Amino acid sequence: MKILKKSIIVVLIALLHVSTSFAQKKSNVKKLSHDERMEWWRDAKFGMFIHWGAYSIIGGERGTKIAGGGAEWAMDKLDYTIEDYEKYPEMFNPQLFDADAWVTMAKNAGMKYIVLTSKHHEGFALWDSKVSDYDVMDTSPFKRDIIKELSEACKKQGIIFCFYYSIVDWHHPQAQGNLYPNYNISQHDDPSVVNPEFPEYYEKYMKPQVGELLKNYGDIGVVWFDGDWISDYTTEMGKDLYKFIREIQPNTIVNNRVDKGRMGMEGMDAEGEFAGDFGTPEQEIPDTGIDSDWEACMTMNGSWGYKPSDHKWKSSEDLIQKLVDIVSKGGNFLLNIGPDGFGRFPSESIRRLNAMGEWTKKNGEAIYGASASPYEKPKWGRYTQKDGVVYAHVFDWPKDGLLKLNKNIKVKKATVLTDPKTNLEFIGTSREVLVDVPQLAPDATVSVIKIELAK
Ligand code: FHN
């Protein structure tokens, strides 16, 4: 029932979001305060990242060569010249792409927002860009605006649409494209190599592209930048871009890669004045909670882009526990899918999404709108909390049937979340609170004990 209520609230928030877009066109949109603006995102907790582009045809393979790491880096890692690489956007024709089906899969997994790569480092744009011919409408036989289809499908299904945009562009001659075709790989990977024309790329190409995405596809939940590390890009540009975005859509959330403050993969900002609304740990989860907004992005195998040779899939159990771990530390989880060149999600990803959906459907109350636990991390799992309730997420079910809670948790009532009729006995000692739980774990992955707190 509570999950149902929560879903209704999320749909209402999404509708509110849609209705503000009409107001926005009249340019009298109500500017929300920072906390109001962040509210839906803080409650949402779980989103889908989608890395999709011409690299999804390549799959990280060229002849006998296999790209190390992410297959979305194929152009760089497999030594394509611009001319060779352009053949892929020219054959991009994902006839099996079905925006509604993608959104349904995200929704059924319990995800509340989707972040799609509108343009990755390869430079190929997935919408009809007026400042470029290197896009899905002009270059590819597909001739369908992917950003339009996915943003509309999201709105229909009450999922918040967001886009990723790479500052790096290996194709554009005023960005990193000037290093091709005779580039030297070590130089290309050297972030200190600067193109003197980059400021013009920024003003006349990158900013207009970001503007198009903000003006033509309704409300955008988050603008997710990447490629902030290159020396061409400056903190002045970052601050200008943040302002530019907020002038078009005042309530949009922007990640911290819009500026230059990010400290590597750890993802949080260094000391200083930097633009951006949340930190972006990549492929890692901080050891402890962090007292500011953050979102951990992660792959299901080792690659962001489609890579059939990568079989190192994280188990569904691991992914569910990662979601819980992140929420218990006050973060959001942005979990990646790399669809193939036809527009299909890999079957391994679908299986994991389904498993996560089964779990979130039953246990979502302990995730959505929950905040970081103020208690020390227990050995058996994690805590989350919300509205006077602590949720004990048990990864390792106690063999003796006694769950040991931190002694400062003042229990009023304890139940198994998925079985509200249970009324578990508990007793406080000087060192801990013991809850008498069933002998068998109610859930094979993570079982949740709901603890209502005494005032
Ligand atoms: O280089 C990219 C990578 O391909 C991927 O897009 C990830 C997602 O966060 N970001 C970059 C590296 O930080």
Side-chain angles (χ1 to χ4, degrees):
M1 193 57 194
K2 284 194 174 152
I3 298 173
L4 184 68
K5 270 195 203 153
K6 192 76 215 179
S7 328
I8 293 170
I9 291 169
V10 170
V11 172
L12 285 177
I13 291 170
L15 288 175
L16 194 77
H17 216 64
V18 171
S19 66
T20 54
S21 92
F22 294 113
Q24 221 158 283
K25 294 235 165 69
K26 287 188 233 142
S27 78
N28 58 354
V29 64
K30 179 180 181 283
K31 261 196 186 175
L32 301 176
S33 69
H34 178 74
D35 282 339
E36 286 170 339
R37 192 158 65 86
M38 296 301 290
E39 197 178 325
W40 74 262
W41 184 89
R42 286 176 183 157
D43 286 349
K45 296 293 165 205
F46 190 24
M48 178 182 279
F49 214 174
I50 302 179
H51 275 69
W52 202 38
Y55 48 79
S56 312
I57 304 173
I58 301 171
E61 294 175 23
R62 188 178 190 190
T64 55
K65 271 201 267 175
I66 294 190
E72 71 288 353
W73 277 65
M75 181 170 174
D76 173 80
K77 295 214 172 126
L78 298 174
D79 304 333
Y80 281 99
T81 60
I82 287 194
E83 211 186 354
D84 284 342
Y85 196 83
E86 278 175 347
K87 294 192 183 106
Y88 293 98
E90 281 164 18
M91 65 174 100
F92 187 73
N93 195 11
Q95 287 298 320
L96 300 178
F97 169 57
D98 178 346
D100 290 313
W102 280 17
V103 176
T104 303
M105 283 191 273
K107 193 171 171 161
N108 287 344
M111 293 157 157
K112 307 295 183 192
Y113 56 107
I114 292 180
V115 184
L116 171 69
T117 50
S118 64
K119 184 200 82 163
H120 203 264
H121 313 336
E122 64 177 359
F124 173 59
L126 296 188
W127 76 99
D128 189 10
S129 175
K130 297 297 172 231
V131 292
S132 174
D133 283 343
Y134 203 48
D135 68 37
V136 68
M137 303 302 271
D138 297 310
T139 305
S140 309
F142 194 47
K143 309 233 175 297
R144 277 164 55 188
D145 185 327
I146 289 163
I147 298 291
K148 181 168 185 289
E149 291 188 22
L150 196 68
S151 59
E152 286 174 357
C154 280
K155 264 159 214 146
K156 245 195 293 173
Q157 298 193 48
I159 293 290
I160 310 253
F161 179 75
C162 315
F163 68 83
Y164 163 112
Y165 185 94
S166 172
I167 296 161
V168 170
D169 193 315
W170 294 329
H171 183 263
H172 199 288
Q174 293 180 308
Q176 287 68 48
N178 72 321
L179 301 172
Y180 290 91
N182 300 313
Y183 76 98
N184 143 351
I185 298 175
S186 60
Q187 193 190 27
H188 179 244
D189 283 342
D190 179 351
S192 67
V193 174
V194 168
N195 187 336
E197 293 186 32
F198 190 85
E200 199 169 322
Y201 158 84
Y202 171 74
E203 281 299 339
K204 302 214 172 117
Y205 189 82
M206 186 179 144
K207 245 170 107 171
Q209 283 207 324
V210 173
E212 290 173 356
L213 289 164
L214 287 160
K215 285 174 198 153
N216 301 332
Y217 301 96
D219 276 355
I220 301 298
V222 176
V223 183
W224 212 107
F225 286 104
D226 202 3
D228 50 337
W229 61 82
I230 52 170
S231 302
D232 312 76
Y233 190 65
T234 63
T235 185
E236 290 73 29
M237 288 175 186
K239 289 175 177 59
D240 172 70
L241 191 58
Y242 183 81
K243 196 164 148 270
F244 172 73
I245 293 167
R246 302 283 314 283
E247 272 162 12
I248 304 172
Q249 291 212 22
N251 300 326
T252 293
I253 296 169
V254 185
N255 74 344
N256 68 341
R257 299 186 188 191
V258 68
D259 202 339
K260 304 284 284 186
R262 175 169 70 112
M263 295 182 292
M265 295 306 188
E266 181 239 297
M268 302 310 289
D269 278 350
E271 291 283 311
E273 283 293 307
F274 296 105
D277 299 316
F278 65 90
T280 50
E282 180 168 325
Q283 302 285 36
E284 57 184 79
I285 302 173
D287 284 340
T288 56
I290 300 176
D291 199 17
S292 63
D293 294 304
W294 59 277
E295 173 190 70
C297 57
M298 217 169 264
T299 49
M300 284 192 184
N301 57 0
S303 176
W304 300 95
Y306 176 64
K307 190 177 188 187
S309 61
D310 183 338
H311 303 292
K312 289 206 188 96
W313 293 92
K314 296 175 183 77
S315 68
S316 304
E317 181 183 38
D318 184 19
L319 291 170
I320 292 168
Q321 293 185 354
K322 282 187 162 59
L323 171 65
V324 171
D325 186 25
I326 290 166
V327 176
S328 80
K329 294 169 181 167
N332 278 17
F333 191 21
L334 187 63
L335 182 58
N336 185 70
I337 303 288
D340 69 11
F342 294 105
R344 297 174 299 189
F345 282 9
S347 57
E348 293 89 343
S349 302
I350 299 175
R351 265 183 231 123
R352 282 155 182 80
L353 290 175
N354 290 344
M356 296 188 86
E358 271 174 41
W359 189 86
T360 50
K361 256 177 218 99
K362 289 186 276 173
N363 299 287
E365 179 190 323
I367 296 290
Y368 307 114
S371 52
S373 150
Y375 308 109
E376 204 181 309
K377 191 159 77 181
K379 287 202 183 74
W380 41 256
R382 301 287 182 272
Y383 295 114
T384 60
Q385 63 163 355
K386 179 167 78 180
D387 306 332
V389 174
V390 168
Y391 298 92
H393 297 253
V394 188
F395 300 176
D396 299 314
W397 196 251
K399 291 193 180 59
D400 60 1
L402 289 175
L403 184 68
K404 297 178 182 59
L405 304 182
N406 298 37
K407 69 168 191 281
N408 45 355
I409 297 183
K410 309 249 173 304
V411 185
K412 186 170 88 185
K413 189 176 177 199
T415 51
V416 174
L417 180 62
T418 50
D419 186 3
K421 286 196 291 296
T422 51
N423 197 354
L424 305 174
E425 291 190 10
F426 55 89
I427 180 166
T429 74
S430 56
R431 281 184 299 141
E432 61 217 352
V433 179
L434 298 173
V435 182
D436 193 358
V437 293
Q439 274 302 319
L440 287 181
D443 191 295
T445 310
V446 177
S447 306
V448 183
I449 303 298
K450 175 174 178 174
I451 299 145
E452 291 167 51
L453 297 178
K455 293 251 156 58

